Amino acid sequence: MSNANTPPPVPPSGPGSPQDVPPLPGQFGIDPSTLPPPIRDELLAPDPVAIDTSAEELKDGANRCPKCGATDIRQRPGTDLLVCLYCRNEWHGQRVEEEFGFGEGLDDLAGTIMASGARDIDDDVSSLMTYKCTGCGAEVTVNTESTMTARCHWCRHVFGVNEQVANGAVPDAVLPFHIKKDDAVARIRQFVDKRRMFALKEFKEQFTPENVVGVYLPYMIVDGKASADVAGQGEIETRRYTQGSGDKKKTYYDADIYRVERHVDFTVDDLPLESSTERGNLDTGVNTNNIINTILPFDTKNAVKWNASYLSGYTSEKRDTDVEQLRPRLEDQLLSIARCQVEESVNRFDRGVRWEQERLDVHGTRWVAMYLPVWLYSYQQGGKGGMLHYIAVNGRTGETMGSVPVQQWKLLLAAITVGTFLEGIALWMLGSSS
């Protein structure tokens, strides 16, 4: 029988014991000052700041004309204006940079700042959005996997997904189309006509540019403040000479070798990164997604605050990557920018500089999710599973680039013909000189 005055036994310690409990919120289980600087800085970095870009007046799904209240709203083709199809009233969407100050404060960026449309995707959030029609009370469902607008089949009210749901379907901003479909079709036709001679026969037979699709592609537009250090070896040529004769003649050079180090501080403004896994896949063995990058840049400074009415008549692709997944690609591009920044300072090394060490420090970033407009024509060579070719038109500038499948034997024949022709000219010139 135990004595009432006997103290309770001391709980065991160690892993798995009652004393092995997690630290309280805001506390760390280890002293951060004892950690290596990169780990310490990451541990102590402030949580990402989110800027709310949602439109409170559009959360019920209805975009109403400010003049008459009708909901049948469209973009006026070729402009950034919205037009009411009932009373013909027109108005301009709010530019997102002016509304939220995204074009300011690059030199003051610190940590990670993201707009609310760029927050992490929750895979458990449904793609189906249901709205109660304010006109007749019926329920209207929009599947954000394929469309962002729908019309009530009872009273014809138009609804758009403007509420920023966590499934990646609603960005912060949209850059409206300026290039109309007829113009895009003409540009694609002209692009193909210049390459028709060597194009694959099946491609020419199936080429129907009228099937071109206007699609809004998801991007992260990133502002950043960074610094970089690069180091390597540079060479300055001091003498060049040849030795030997005939086929055994060789050219040599002497050069002074220097250790080269450079430091650069810089900012980036509106750097675009694809935020679709499918479009970000640049495997040139199966697709020509890299074509999309060749029609950059877009005038993202003119992007307007998100409004699903701009998507009427177009398709869109949903974002499926988060900020942290895109960060390695951002850092790679920032390093490329840093190399370009120091290029002018190493011109004196006429033999070039071989960079052997690189270090990048990203001091602050700001992320904005945005839809950018592209006219897209696709062709799958060899049927399902074959090479997927794209021809793309920048929906703002009209810049056009693409991939046209070619007949390899025609290219070979042309190369042989040109080679034979040039060889004949060379022999004629040699004969004339002798």
Side-chain angles (χ1 to χ4, degrees):
M1 184 172 181
S2 62
N3 191 330
N5 296 325
T6 304
V10 177
S13 61
S17 70
Q19 292 188 5
D20 185 27
V21 295
L24 295 174
Q27 296 182 350
F28 301 107
I30 190 171
D31 183 2
S33 63
T34 63
L35 298 173
I39 300 177
R40 181 192 64 221
D41 294 343
E42 183 175 347
L43 188 64
L44 296 178
D47 292 334
V49 178
I51 301 173
D52 187 6
T53 62
S54 60
E56 191 69 32
E57 69 277 9
L58 299 176
K59 284 190 174 181
D60 63 354
N63 179 24
R64 294 177 175 83
C65 170
K67 185 176 180 180
C68 71
T71 61
D72 203 352
I73 311 299
R74 295 287 189 277
Q75 175 201 0
R76 182 179 176 183
T79 74
D80 294 341
L81 296 172
L82 291 173
V83 57
C84 173
L85 299 187
Y86 182 76
C87 71
R88 312 310 297 178
N89 178 44
E90 296 179 353
W91 67 98
H92 196 290
Q94 297 166 302
R95 284 196 173 92
V96 70
E97 282 210 351
E98 298 170 359
E99 180 76 6
F100 301 104
F102 290 145
E104 304 170 356
L106 296 181
D107 292 325
D108 300 321
L109 287 176
T112 300
I113 302 170
M114 61 179 70
S116 51
R119 288 177 296 193
D120 287 355
I121 296 169
D122 185 349
D123 294 329
D124 295 330
V125 175
S126 173
S127 296
L128 299 178
M129 301 293 296
T130 302
Y131 297 94
K132 194 172 188 65
C133 178
T134 55
C136 67
E139 288 191 344
V140 179
T141 300
V142 183
N143 186 352
T144 58
E145 289 288 350
S146 57
T147 185
M148 299 298 287
T149 59
R151 186 186 292 270
C152 175
H153 54 278
W154 293 106
C155 68
R156 311 297 291 168
H157 263 40
V158 178
F159 289 84
V161 181
N162 292 302
E163 182 181 358
Q164 287 183 337
V165 289
N167 64 0
V170 181
D172 302 291
V174 56
L175 186 63
F177 275 88
H178 270 194
I179 300 297
K180 300 178 183 178
K181 182 172 182 176
D182 290 345
D183 188 359
V185 168
R187 291 170 186 268
I188 291 175
R189 188 183 297 278
Q190 183 182 44
F191 180 88
V192 172
D193 285 346
K194 291 180 179 179
R195 296 156 179 80
R196 187 173 288 273
M197 178 181 295
F198 298 104
L200 198 68
K201 180 181 178 182
E202 291 80 4
F203 174 81
K204 291 187 289 187
E205 291 175 348
Q206 300 174 27
F207 178 59
T208 50
E210 291 74 18
N211 291 340
V212 65
V213 175
V215 56
Y216 280 103
L217 298 181
Y219 278 77
M220 286 286 196
I221 306 301
V222 187
D223 298 333
K225 178 184 178 183
S227 59
D229 295 278
V230 291
Q233 285 191 348
E235 295 185 2
I236 298 178
E237 185 175 314
T238 58
R239 187 166 73 101
R240 181 182 293 262
Y241 54 94
T242 59
Q243 290 183 351
S245 60
D247 295 339
K248 296 184 179 180
K249 183 186 293 185
K250 290 185 178 181
T251 300
Y252 298 88
Y253 73 91
D254 294 334
D256 292 334
I257 299 177
Y258 298 85
R259 174 70 175 176
V260 183
E261 297 181 357
R262 293 291 186 270
H263 174 86
V264 60
D265 299 304
F266 62 99
T267 59
V268 293
D269 187 9
D270 282 12
L271 180 68
L273 298 175
E274 299 98 337
S275 55
S276 163
T277 303
E278 182 178 356
R279 297 300 168 199
N281 176 17
L282 302 182
D283 183 358
T284 55
V286 296
N287 64 58
T288 57
N289 279 336
N290 57 319
I291 292 299
I292 306 299
N293 292 323
T294 64
I295 62 172
L296 297 174
F298 288 87
D299 56 328
T300 50
K301 296 293 182 186
N302 292 316
V304 296
K305 190 176 176 181
W306 170 254
N307 189 319
S309 296
Y310 282 105
L311 270 66
S312 295
Y314 303 101
T315 62
S316 62
E317 292 188 3
K318 193 171 67 170
R319 174 174 70 93
D320 61 3
T321 53
D322 294 327
V323 167
E324 290 306 316
Q325 294 170 296
L326 293 172
R327 202 176 290 276
R329 195 183 308 169
L330 169 67
E331 293 175 352
D332 183 62
Q333 294 206 23
L334 290 178
L335 264 178
S336 297
I337 293 172
R339 296 187 201 105
C340 292
Q341 291 281 315
V342 303
E343 190 172 327
E344 289 187 5
S345 70
V346 295
N347 287 337
R348 62 187 293 258
F349 300 99
D350 53 10
R351 291 285 304 173
V353 177
R354 182 176 67 250
W355 300 117
E356 299 170 333
Q357 296 174 305
E358 297 175 328
R359 173 180 172 176
L360 176 73
D361 291 312
V362 181
H363 307 299
T365 54
R366 179 166 54 206
W367 303 72
V368 178
M370 188 180 296
Y371 271 167
L372 299 182
V374 176
W375 290 104
L376 210 56
Y377 179 83
S378 61
Y379 172 79
Q380 192 152 32
Q381 182 179 354
K384 186 176 181 180
M387 181 71 171
L388 192 56
H389 296 265
Y390 291 108
I391 303 175
V393 178
N394 186 311
R396 297 286 291 192
T397 66
E399 182 70 25
T400 305
M401 185 54 67
S403 170
V404 175
V406 297
Q407 298 270 22
Q408 297 295 333
W409 66 268
K410 285 187 178 181
L411 284 179
L412 180 61
L413 180 62
I416 294 174
T417 302
V418 171
T420 304
F421 176 71
L422 293 177
E423 184 179 351
I425 292 178
L427 291 174
W428 176 78
M429 292 177 65
L430 288 173
S432 298
S433 61
S434 62

